Amino acid sequence: QLVESGGGSGQAGGSLRISCQASRVTYNYHCMGWFRQVPGKAREGVAAIYTGNQQTYIAEYAKGRFTISKDNAKNTLYLQMNSLKPEDTATYYCAADPAMAWVLCFLGREYDYEYWGQGTQVTVS
C-alpha cells in the first residue's frame, strides 16, 4: 500500500515536497516513481528511482526543478518540487514495482508499475 501526502497549494516560483509512505520496506521495490495527471489527459511520468543503483530519472520538463529521493529507513519516497509553475498543477501519484528491470524503470510507463497510491493534489497559482 502506498499513501501520498504533502500536496496542496503553492505559488509560482515556490516549493513543495510530497511524500509517499509505503507499507512494505521500500528497499524491496526495484523501482519507485512519481506520475501526474490532469483531467482529460493521460498520466505522465515525472520521476523514478531504481533501488539497485539509486539511479534516478527526471522528466525533461522537471529537470533542474524536481528531485526524487527515497529514505529506506522510513519506507518513504519523496518528490521535492522547486521553481513551481502553474502547469505543474496536477494530481500526483506514487507508484512502485517489486520486480521491474532497470531498463524499464526510467521509461515512465504507468503499466509497468504494480502498486499505486491514491494521489495527492498539487495546485500552483
Side-chain angles (χ1 to χ4, degrees), residues 3-124:
V3 180
E4 300 96 335
S5 63
S9 298
Q11 296 290 323
S15 299
L16 281 174
R17 189 179 77 162
I18 55 178
S19 304
C20 173
Q21 178 72 50
S23 60
R24 59 186 285 184
V25 178
T26 51
Y27 190 81
N28 288 337
Y29 293 119
H30 283 202
C31 182
M32 298 188 75
W34 289 98
F35 287 75
R36 70 184 189 183
Q37 188 172 27
V38 298
K41 292 190 176 181
R43 196 172 294 186
E44 63 178 0
V46 178
I49 183 167
Y50 188 74
T51 296
N53 56 16
Q54 295 300 299
Q55 188 170 348
T56 61
Y57 156 82
I58 304 291
E60 194 63 35
Y61 59 78
K63 283 183 178 178
R65 301 190 300 124
F66 293 5
T67 303
I68 185 171
S69 62
K70 182 157 64 77
D71 186 335
N72 290 327
K74 296 182 179 180
N75 296 334
T76 303
L77 179 74
Y78 301 100
L79 183 67
Q80 177 68 44
M81 301 181 288
N82 300 328
S83 301
L84 286 166
K85 303 177 180 180
E87 51 263 44
D88 293 322
T89 296
T91 300
Y92 284 73
Y93 296 90
C94 172
D97 193 89
M100 193 185 303
W102 174 81
V103 294
L104 300 179
C105 188
F106 307 126
L107 295 181
R109 303 184 311 192
E110 61 176 306
Y111 56 81
D112 287 326
Y113 290 84
E114 181 174 356
Y115 301 107
W116 289 86
Q118 81 290 348
T120 186
Q121 178 66 35
V122 171
T123 303
V124 183

